[in-house]
């Protein structure tokens, strides 16, 4: 257990949000049928130990949004294995399936920033339609544990995609085609923020410096969508922020040293660090290059 555990009120409705005392705001925004390959879902369920016929399973996805509404940088761990869902009978537990790259884990959020992700579960069809989702978040380095219980309902849409999902207490949550509209909108908003931050960094580096664009330790209100200045961070931050391997991050740091400690542009990084096309794409999405 953490040193300073905090538990949210029981039975929070899916679709609502709860803000913990540390400034972390959590919401499970929707329940939906996952837009993923059914064979992959069944294979993952089998790998996780789900017995019996794979045709007797329901698969459902819960969308999550985490936001830092406080004034301090927060580092935390939120991963599917720290969530479990009960469907129908409280004694029966759904199984979390690790199918998705980029779910919420090993996260650093600066004030004003948010992150959307989703978790997929397998359950037996006969268990009923009530869902209780237990969540636990581990803050680092304080070792604080945050926990909450969220309640919603599944309809026949899990099997047929034909009907809407109904959240607890009668609130209706619309059925999206793939990821929920809230999740897509949140991701698109972050992309727009990064585009604006890159534009400022390119056109007015002095302003970018004052706004803290690309600085993971900044303490200003401007939200750059999670941009990172390649010239201002070390290998560990590069690996975490860009989802790069330790080897790729090390190559970038080594190349930066060879060119005198400061890259001039992203193209220079790609060339001297010998990045693969995938590594280049991961870098370009969140990278800025400031001349100091």
């Amino acid at each position: 257990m953490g040193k300073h555990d905090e538990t949210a009120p029981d039975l929070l409705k899916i679709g609502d949000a709860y803000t913990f005392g540390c400034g972390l705001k959590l919401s499970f925004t929707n329940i939906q049928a996952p837009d993923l390959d059914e064979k992959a879902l069944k294979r993952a369920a089998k790998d996780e130990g789900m017995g019996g016929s794979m045709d007797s399973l329901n698969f459902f996805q819960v969308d999550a949004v985490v936001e830092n509404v406080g004034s301090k940088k927060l580092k935390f761990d939120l991963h599917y294995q720290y969530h479990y869902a009960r469907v129908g009978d409280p004694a029966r537990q759904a199984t979390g399936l690790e199918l998705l790259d980029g779910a919420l884990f090993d996260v650093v959020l600066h004030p004003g920033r948010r992150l959307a992700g989703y978790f997929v579960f397998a359950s037996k069809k006969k268990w009923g339609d009530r869902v209780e989702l237990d969540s636990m978040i581990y803050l680092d380095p304080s070792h604080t544990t945050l926990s909450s219980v969220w309640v919603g309902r599944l309809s026949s849409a899990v099997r047929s995609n034909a009907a809407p999902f109904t959240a607890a207490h009668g609130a209706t949550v619309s059925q999206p085609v793939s990821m929920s509209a809230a999740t897509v909108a949140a991701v698109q908003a972050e992309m727009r923020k990064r585009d604006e931050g890159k534009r400022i960094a390119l056109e007015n580096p002095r302003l970018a410096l004052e706004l803290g664009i690309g600085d993971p330790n900044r303490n200003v209100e401007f939200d750059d969508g999670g941009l990172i200045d390649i010239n201002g961070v070390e290998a560990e931050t590069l690996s975490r922020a860009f989802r790069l391997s330790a080897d790729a991050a090390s190559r970038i740091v080594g190349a930066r040293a060879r060119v005198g400690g400061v890259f001039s542009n992203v193209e220079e990084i790609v060339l001297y660090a010998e990045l693969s096309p995938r590594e280049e794409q991961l870098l370009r999405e969140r990278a800025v290059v400031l001349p100091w």
Side-chain angles (χ1 to χ4, degrees):
M1 298 296 287
K3 293 180 179 179
H4 307 287
D5 297 340
E6 181 181 350
T7 302
D10 287 343
L11 303 183
L12 293 163
K13 183 174 66 178
I14 289 178
D16 288 346
Y18 182 77
T19 302
F20 293 94
C22 63
L24 199 65
K25 182 178 180 181
L26 175 65
S27 177
F28 291 94
T29 59
N30 198 15
I31 304 176
Q32 63 176 334
D35 185 27
L36 296 168
D37 180 73
E38 185 175 352
K39 290 183 179 179
L41 291 172
K42 290 180 178 180
R43 184 166 56 249
K46 185 176 181 180
D47 291 343
E48 292 295 331
M50 296 291 287
S53 170
M54 292 297 105
D55 292 329
S56 68
L57 297 180
N58 271 331
F59 299 98
F60 63 94
Q61 174 179 312
V62 181
D63 299 317
V65 174
V66 180
E67 184 175 3
N68 185 351
V69 296
S71 59
K72 298 181 179 179
K73 178 179 70 174
L74 294 173
K75 181 179 180 180
F76 61 92
D77 186 76
L78 173 62
H79 196 264
Y80 93 94
Q81 65 188 7
Y82 299 132
H83 290 273
Y84 60 92
R86 293 184 294 270
V87 182
D89 183 347
R92 289 174 172 164
Q93 182 175 319
T95 298
L97 308 181
E98 187 174 27
L99 295 173
L100 309 169
D101 187 19
L104 304 176
F105 64 99
D106 293 336
V107 177
V108 176
L109 278 184
H110 294 270
R113 295 187 184 177
R114 57 186 287 167
L115 181 66
Y118 53 107
F119 304 88
V120 176
F121 296 91
S123 68
K124 294 183 179 179
K125 291 181 180 180
K126 65 180 182 180
W127 286 1
D129 63 356
R130 176 186 170 93
V131 174
E132 289 187 15
L133 181 72
D134 287 341
S135 66
M136 298 189 74
I137 304 172
Y138 298 93
L139 294 181
D140 181 39
S142 68
H143 305 297
T144 299
T145 301
L146 311 176
S147 60
S148 56
V149 180
W150 302 78
V151 181
R153 290 191 179 277
L154 298 174
S155 75
S156 59
V158 174
R159 295 182 292 276
S160 67
N161 292 333
F165 290 90
T166 303
H169 311 300
T172 298
V173 182
S174 61
Q175 168 73 11
V177 176
S178 56
M179 292 170 59
S180 71
T183 301
V184 172
V187 171
Q188 290 175 333
E190 293 299 297
M191 292 172 67
R192 288 193 294 270
K193 292 173 185 176
R194 290 196 289 272
D195 289 343
E196 176 63 10
K198 291 175 185 178
R199 183 191 65 78
I200 294 173
L202 181 64
E203 297 177 359
N204 194 338
R206 288 178 60 197
L207 178 59
L209 177 64
E210 293 298 318
L211 291 174
I213 291 175
D215 180 0
N217 298 310
R218 66 196 177 91
N219 190 25
V220 294
E221 294 184 359
F222 183 83
D223 186 356
D224 63 9
L227 292 174
I228 297 292
D229 175 19
I230 295 296
N231 287 328
V233 294
E234 298 307 315
E236 181 181 355
T237 301
L238 286 171
S239 179
R240 182 178 65 248
F242 295 97
R243 293 164 51 204
L244 294 168
S245 67
D247 175 67
S250 179
R251 277 186 275 124
I252 292 172
V253 171
R256 187 174 64 196
R258 291 196 300 274
V259 298
V262 179
F263 287 117
S264 299
N265 50 56
V266 174
E267 286 70 24
E268 198 173 56
I269 303 170
V270 174
L271 176 63
Y272 286 102
E274 299 181 348
L275 299 183
S276 68
R278 180 180 184 276
E279 291 167 342
E280 177 183 354
Q281 182 58 40
L282 290 172
L283 190 77
R284 286 186 181 278
E285 180 58 36
R286 287 176 168 77
V288 291
V289 181
L290 296 175
W292 41 69

Short mmCIF file of all heavy atoms in Angstrom, two decimals, residues 107-127:
data_model
loop_
_atom_site.label_atom_id
_atom_site.label_comp_id
_atom_site.label_asym_id
_atom_site.label_seq_id
_atom_site.Cartn_x
_atom_site.Cartn_y
_atom_site.Cartn_z
N VAL A 107 3.52 7.43 -16.91
CA VAL A 107 3.12 8.72 -17.46
C VAL A 107 3.70 9.86 -16.63
O VAL A 107 3.73 9.81 -15.41
CB VAL A 107 1.58 8.84 -17.48
CG1 VAL A 107 1.15 10.20 -17.99
CG2 VAL A 107 0.99 7.74 -18.34
N VAL A 108 4.17 10.90 -17.31
CA VAL A 108 4.51 12.17 -16.67
C VAL A 108 3.59 13.23 -17.26
O VAL A 108 3.59 13.46 -18.46
CB VAL A 108 5.98 12.56 -16.91
CG1 VAL A 108 6.26 13.93 -16.29
CG2 VAL A 108 6.92 11.52 -16.30
N LEU A 109 2.78 13.85 -16.40
CA LEU A 109 1.86 14.89 -16.84
C LEU A 109 2.23 16.21 -16.19
O LEU A 109 2.34 16.30 -14.97
CB LEU A 109 0.42 14.53 -16.47
CG LEU A 109 -0.36 13.57 -17.38
CD1 LEU A 109 -1.79 13.44 -16.89
CD2 LEU A 109 -0.34 14.02 -18.82
N HIS A 110 2.39 17.24 -17.00
CA HIS A 110 2.62 18.58 -16.49
C HIS A 110 1.28 19.27 -16.31
O HIS A 110 0.27 18.86 -16.87
CB HIS A 110 3.51 19.35 -17.46
CG HIS A 110 4.90 18.80 -17.54
ND1 HIS A 110 5.91 19.21 -16.73
CD2 HIS A 110 5.42 17.82 -18.32
CE1 HIS A 110 7.00 18.54 -17.01
NE2 HIS A 110 6.74 17.68 -17.97
N PRO A 111 1.23 20.32 -15.51
CA PRO A 111 -0.03 21.02 -15.27
C PRO A 111 -0.73 21.40 -16.57
O PRO A 111 -0.12 21.91 -17.50
CB PRO A 111 0.41 22.27 -14.48
CG PRO A 111 1.64 21.83 -13.76
CD PRO A 111 2.35 20.90 -14.71
N GLY A 112 -2.02 21.12 -16.63
CA GLY A 112 -2.82 21.46 -17.80
C GLY A 112 -2.82 20.41 -18.88
O GLY A 112 -3.57 20.52 -19.85
N ARG A 113 -2.01 19.36 -18.73
CA ARG A 113 -1.95 18.34 -19.78
C ARG A 113 -2.85 17.16 -19.43
O ARG A 113 -3.08 16.85 -18.27
CB ARG A 113 -0.51 17.87 -19.98
CG ARG A 113 0.40 18.96 -20.50
CD ARG A 113 1.76 18.43 -20.84
NE ARG A 113 2.65 19.50 -21.26
CZ ARG A 113 3.92 19.33 -21.55
NH1 ARG A 113 4.46 18.12 -21.50
NH2 ARG A 113 4.67 20.34 -21.92
N ARG A 114 -3.30 16.48 -20.47
CA ARG A 114 -4.18 15.33 -20.30
C ARG A 114 -3.76 14.22 -21.26
O ARG A 114 -3.08 14.46 -22.25
CB ARG A 114 -5.64 15.72 -20.53
CG ARG A 114 -5.90 16.33 -21.88
CD ARG A 114 -7.33 16.83 -22.01
NE ARG A 114 -8.27 15.72 -22.13
CZ ARG A 114 -9.58 15.87 -22.01
NH1 ARG A 114 -10.09 17.05 -21.71
NH2 ARG A 114 -10.39 14.84 -22.17
N LEU A 115 -4.21 13.03 -20.97
CA LEU A 115 -3.87 11.87 -21.79
C LEU A 115 -5.08 10.95 -21.85
O LEU A 115 -5.74 10.71 -20.84
CB LEU A 115 -2.68 11.13 -21.18
CG LEU A 115 -2.18 9.88 -21.93
CD1 LEU A 115 -1.61 10.28 -23.29
CD2 LEU A 115 -1.12 9.16 -21.12
N ALA A 116 -5.38 10.47 -23.04
CA ALA A 116 -6.49 9.56 -23.25
C ALA A 116 -5.96 8.17 -23.58
O ALA A 116 -4.96 8.02 -24.27
CB ALA A 116 -7.42 10.06 -24.36
N GLY A 117 -6.62 7.16 -23.10
CA GLY A 117 -6.25 5.79 -23.41
C GLY A 117 -7.47 4.89 -23.26
O GLY A 117 -8.58 5.36 -22.99
N TYR A 118 -7.27 3.60 -23.46
CA TYR A 118 -8.40 2.69 -23.29
C TYR A 118 -7.91 1.30 -22.92
O TYR A 118 -6.77 0.92 -23.16
CB TYR A 118 -9.28 2.66 -24.54
CG TYR A 118 -8.59 2.38 -25.85
CD1 TYR A 118 -8.76 1.15 -26.49
CD2 TYR A 118 -7.81 3.34 -26.48
CE1 TYR A 118 -8.16 0.90 -27.71
CE2 TYR A 118 -7.20 3.10 -27.69
CZ TYR A 118 -7.38 1.87 -28.30
OH TYR A 118 -6.77 1.61 -29.50
N PHE A 119 -8.82 0.54 -22.30
CA PHE A 119 -8.52 -0.78 -21.79
C PHE A 119 -9.57 -1.76 -22.31
O PHE A 119 -10.75 -1.41 -22.38
CB PHE A 119 -8.52 -0.78 -20.25
CG PHE A 119 -7.57 0.22 -19.67
CD1 PHE A 119 -7.98 1.53 -19.42
CD2 PHE A 119 -6.27 -0.12 -19.38
CE1 PHE A 119 -7.10 2.46 -18.90
CE2 PHE A 119 -5.38 0.80 -18.86
CZ PHE A 119 -5.80 2.10 -18.62
N VAL A 120 -9.14 -2.95 -22.68
CA VAL A 120 -10.05 -3.95 -23.22
C VAL A 120 -10.14 -5.14 -22.26
O VAL A 120 -9.13 -5.59 -21.72
CB VAL A 120 -9.57 -4.44 -24.61
CG1 VAL A 120 -10.46 -5.56 -25.13
CG2 VAL A 120 -9.59 -3.28 -25.60
N PHE A 121 -11.37 -5.62 -22.07
CA PHE A 121 -11.62 -6.74 -21.16
C PHE A 121 -12.39 -7.85 -21.87
O PHE A 121 -13.11 -7.60 -22.84
CB PHE A 121 -12.45 -6.28 -19.96
CG PHE A 121 -11.78 -5.27 -19.09
CD1 PHE A 121 -11.94 -3.91 -19.32
CD2 PHE A 121 -10.97 -5.65 -18.03
CE1 PHE A 121 -11.32 -2.97 -18.53
CE2 PHE A 121 -10.34 -4.73 -17.23
CZ PHE A 121 -10.52 -3.37 -17.48
N ALA A 122 -12.22 -9.07 -21.37
CA ALA A 122 -13.01 -10.22 -21.81
C ALA A 122 -13.82 -10.71 -20.63
O ALA A 122 -13.34 -10.75 -19.50
CB ALA A 122 -12.09 -11.34 -22.31
N SER A 123 -15.08 -11.06 -20.88
CA SER A 123 -15.94 -11.62 -19.83
C SER A 123 -16.88 -12.63 -20.44
O SER A 123 -17.08 -12.67 -21.66
CB SER A 123 -16.74 -10.50 -19.14
OG SER A 123 -17.69 -9.95 -20.03
N LYS A 124 -17.48 -13.46 -19.59
CA LYS A 124 -18.41 -14.46 -20.07
C LYS A 124 -19.78 -13.83 -20.27
O LYS A 124 -20.26 -13.06 -19.45
CB LYS A 124 -18.51 -15.62 -19.08
CG LYS A 124 -17.21 -16.41 -18.98
CD LYS A 124 -17.35 -17.60 -18.06
CE LYS A 124 -16.04 -18.40 -18.01
NZ LYS A 124 -16.14 -19.56 -17.08
N LYS A 125 -20.44 -14.17 -21.37
CA LYS A 125 -21.71 -13.54 -21.73
C LYS A 125 -22.78 -13.72 -20.67
O LYS A 125 -23.59 -12.83 -20.44
CB LYS A 125 -22.21 -14.10 -23.06
CG LYS A 125 -21.37 -13.68 -24.26
CD LYS A 125 -21.94 -14.26 -25.54
CE LYS A 125 -21.10 -13.83 -26.74
NZ LYS A 125 -21.63 -14.38 -28.00
N LYS A 126 -22.77 -14.83 -19.98
CA LYS A 126 -23.85 -15.12 -19.03
C LYS A 126 -23.74 -14.31 -17.75
O LYS A 126 -24.60 -14.39 -16.89
CB LYS A 126 -23.84 -16.60 -18.69
CG LYS A 126 -22.58 -17.07 -17.95
CD LYS A 126 -22.64 -18.56 -17.64
CE LYS A 126 -21.42 -19.03 -16.87
NZ LYS A 126 -21.49 -20.48 -16.58
N TRP A 127 -22.70 -13.51 -17.62
CA TRP A 127 -22.50 -12.80 -16.35
C TRP A 127 -23.43 -11.62 -16.15
O TRP A 127 -23.50 -11.08 -15.07
CB TRP A 127 -21.05 -12.31 -16.26
CG TRP A 127 -20.09 -13.42 -15.99
CD1 TRP A 127 -20.38 -14.74 -15.84
CD2 TRP A 127 -18.67 -13.30 -15.83
NE1 TRP A 127 -19.25 -15.46 -15.62
CE2 TRP A 127 -18.17 -14.60 -15.61
CE3 TRP A 127 -17.79 -12.25 -15.88
CZ2 TRP A 127 -16.83 -14.86 -15.41
CZ3 TRP A 127 -16.45 -12.50 -15.69
CH2 TRP A 127 -15.98 -13.79 -15.45
#
